Amino acid sequence: MKSAVKTDLKSLILSELQEHLRNLGEPSYRAGQVTEWLYKKRVDTIDKMTNLSQPLRKRLSETFSLGKIDAIRVLGARDTTRKFLFRLADGNLIESVLIPASLALYGGRSDRRTICVSTQVGCAYGCKFCASGLEGFSRNLSTNEIVDQLIAVERATGETIDNIVFMGMGEPLANLENVLQAIRIINAEWGLGVGARHITISTSGLAPQIRKLAEEPLQIRLAVSLHGATDEVRNRIMPINRRYNIETLLSACDYYKAHKKQRLSFEYILIADVNDSDDQARLLSRHAHRLSAKVNLIPYNSVSGLPWTRPSEKRQEKFLSILRGEGIPVTLRREKGHDIDAACGQLRLQTEREALASG
Ligand code: SAH
Ligand code: SF4
C-alpha cells in the first residue's frame, strides 16, 4: 500500500514550523523545541523529542516524516579526502565528500573542514568530462536530503563541518528552491549555524538562475564552472554553453557582482590539449579581470570511460604563471592521491556498475 508522502521536518524553516504548530493548537515556542531536537541534539525519531507531550509527538508523526540517510560506503581515511556514499529512501545513491582542513580551498581559510554536497541524483547537463552526468538525470534532492548529508557526515566522523560547497553531484541552480531552503536551514542559528560566507554554490552556468540568486538576500558565495575561455572550447565540453554562451554567462555574472559583496570565483579544470593553451589562459585572465573573480585551477581527475587526461605539471604551472602574471588571484590544486579525490559522482557510478556486473 502506498502511503501519502508526508513533509519532512527537516525541510521546514522555523517560521513554517511555528505556523504548523499553531495550527495544531500549540504555542509557537514549541517550534524552537523541535529545531533543538532536530539540529542540536539530532534525534532520528519524533518519539525521542521527550519534552513534547506524548499526544503532540503522535500528531507530529501523523503529519510529518523524519528521514535519515546512512552511509553505505566510505572511502578514505582521516586527514585525507573521504567520500561517503548514501542510499536514499527510494534506493537512489548520492555521494558527499569531506575535504580535510589542510586541503580546504573555499571559504578562504585553511583551517576549515569542507563538505562537498550533492543536489540532484545524476545530472542533466552532460558535461563531457564529468562522471555525474554520464548516466543522465534522475531527480532533484529534497531539502532534507541536502541537509541530511551534513548531519550524516558529522555523525559518521564526529567532526564539525564549517564550510560547505555545493559541488557534488547535480546542478544546484537547477534545483534552486530546495537548495535555497536547505541553505536557510544550514545557515540559521536555530539550524546548523554555518555562516553564509562559508557556503558556496557552484554552477555550470545557468545564466537566468544566476540572476535570480543575485536577488536573494543570503550572502553566499558563487563559483562558476568555466572550464573554457572561448565558446569554441566550452561548446566542445559543456553542452550548456550552446544555451547560454560565454557572453550571456558573464553578463549574468556582472549582474550578480553588482548585487553582492562576495567575490566570485571561476572553476577551471585543466584538461590536456582541450583548454590548457596559453591563449586560453590569457582570455581567462581577461574574464577574471572583468568580474574581479578569483580562479581555481583543478587538474582533471580521470574518469573511467572518458578520453581526457590532465596536462603535465609543467603545463599546469605555465597556465598558472600566465594568470599570475596578469595579476589574477589564482590557486592550483596540487594534492596527491587523486584516485580517491576524483570528482564527485564517481563512487556512485562505480558502485552502480559493480551492482550491474554482479547481476
Ligand atoms: N554542476 C555544478 C556543481 C557540481 S560539479 C557545476 O558544474 O559547477 C562540481 C565541480 O566538479 C565542477 O567544477 C566540475 O567541473 C568539477 N568536475 C567534474 N568532473 C571533474 C573531473 N573529472 N575532474 C575534476 N573536476 C571535475
Ligand atoms: Fe552536471 Fe556539473 Fe557534472 Fe556538468 S560538471 S555534468 S553541470 S555535475
Side-chain angles (χ1 to χ4, degrees):
M1 194 179 72
K2 203 164 183 263
S3 58
V5 181
K6 294 180 192 169
T7 304
D8 195 280
L9 278 178
K10 277 185 264 183
S11 65
L12 299 172
I13 56 171
L14 187 64
S15 57
E16 292 166 342
L17 260 175
Q18 285 168 338
E19 196 184 321
H20 280 294
L21 282 154
R22 271 197 304 271
N23 291 342
L24 291 174
E26 294 288 332
S28 58
Y29 70 80
R30 293 259 182 261
Q33 294 178 321
V34 172
T35 55
E36 176 89 15
W37 285 111
L38 293 174
Y39 302 112
K40 311 296 178 205
K41 299 179 187 139
R42 303 195 180 172
V43 291
D44 53 10
T45 64
I46 293 173
D47 209 45
K48 289 183 185 154
M49 301 182 176
T50 47
N51 61 355
L52 306 182
S53 71
Q54 209 37 279
L56 177 57
R57 277 181 266 163
K58 186 160 174 281
R59 279 162 80 197
L60 284 177
S61 305
E62 284 160 6
T63 319
F64 300 103
S65 56
L66 181 52
K68 176 174 179 246
I69 59 174
D70 281 310
I72 58 165
R73 219 170 146 178
V74 182
L75 285 190
R78 229 185 154 81
D79 300 325
T80 66
T81 297
R82 268 169 293 175
K83 293 188 131 197
F84 299 81
L85 186 72
F86 296 106
R87 193 183 299 284
L88 304 176
D90 63 359
N92 272 308
L93 299 175
I94 56 162
E95 58 188 85
S96 313
V97 179
L98 182 63
I99 304 156
S102 58
L103 297 177
L105 283 175
Y106 304 92
R109 281 168 52 180
S110 60
D111 59 345
R112 299 197 163 269
R113 264 175 301 267
T114 299
I115 187 177
C116 174
V117 298
S118 294
T119 56
Q120 299 183 312
V121 180
C123 182
Y125 291 87
C127 301
K128 300 280 190 275
F129 47 79
C130 175
S132 296
L134 275 181
E135 296 194 338
F137 171 73
S138 301
R139 68 169 173 89
N140 279 334
L141 294 189
S142 58
T143 297
N144 55 295
E145 288 168 335
I146 298 170
V147 173
D148 266 336
Q149 292 174 60
L150 256 100
I151 293 178
V153 168
E154 289 199 341
R155 189 193 305 125
T157 60
E159 291 175 32
T160 307
I161 293 162
D162 29 36
N163 205 37
I164 297 161
V165 295
F166 287 85
M167 288 189 186
M169 194 192 305
E171 169 50 55
L173 296 193
N175 185 15
L176 189 56
E177 217 174 287
N178 291 349
V179 167
L180 285 176
Q181 181 78 340
I183 289 176
R184 290 182 197 111
I185 294 170
I186 289 166
N187 177 233
E189 273 310 314
W190 52 259
L192 296 175
V194 178
R197 268 173 258 100
H198 299 124
I199 302 174
T200 303
I201 291 187
S202 174
T203 180
S204 59
L206 275 61
Q209 280 82 352
I210 290 175
R211 288 172 184 267
K212 251 191 180 164
L213 191 63
E215 288 157 10
E216 273 292 318
L218 287 163
Q219 289 298 328
I220 46 183
R221 291 176 191 268
L222 181 66
V224 174
S225 292
L226 207 56
H227 311 325
T230 53
D231 285 327
E232 193 201 347
V233 169
R234 233 176 160 251
N235 282 343
R236 192 171 156 200
I237 51 178
M238 301 181 76
I240 181 86
N241 198 68
R242 294 178 191 273
R243 197 163 353 144
Y244 308 115
N245 65 17
I246 292 194
E247 186 44 44
T248 308
L249 171 57
L250 296 180
S251 80
C253 292
D254 288 332
Y255 184 82
Y256 187 89
K257 191 183 161 225
H259 284 72
K260 298 275 180 189
K261 293 196 285 281
Q262 304 295 336
R263 192 196 274 277
L264 267 162
S265 53
F266 287 145
E267 304 294 299
Y268 198 97
I269 306 178
L270 288 168
I271 310 175
D273 302 322
V274 172
N275 63 0
D276 61 342
S277 69
D278 293 359
D279 275 354
Q280 287 289 308
R282 282 188 283 269
L283 281 168
L284 174 59
S285 305
R286 210 185 288 168
H287 300 325
H289 260 305
R290 162 174 172 177
L291 286 151
S292 317
K294 172 178 141 205
V295 175
N296 296 317
L297 300 174
I298 308 149
Y300 175 71
N301 278 313
S302 54
V303 174
S304 73
L306 297 183
W308 322 102
T309 54
R310 57 168 60 179
S312 67
E313 274 179 33
K314 203 169 146 224
R315 183 94 287 274
Q316 295 175 27
E317 295 290 342
K318 178 73 195 301
F319 199 94
L320 174 73
S321 72
I322 293 174
L323 286 149
R324 282 232 171 96
E326 300 285 340
I328 307 298
V330 53
T331 61
L332 169 64
R333 204 185 282 175
R334 286 195 181 82
E335 76 264 31
K336 300 266 187 296
H338 54 87
D339 289 347
I340 149 96
D341 290 338
C344 248
Q346 295 220 57
L347 183 56
R348 161 180 173 262
L349 197 63
Q350 188 192 333
T351 306
E352 286 186 338
R353 282 181 179 163
E354 283 166 13
L356 278 178
S358 64

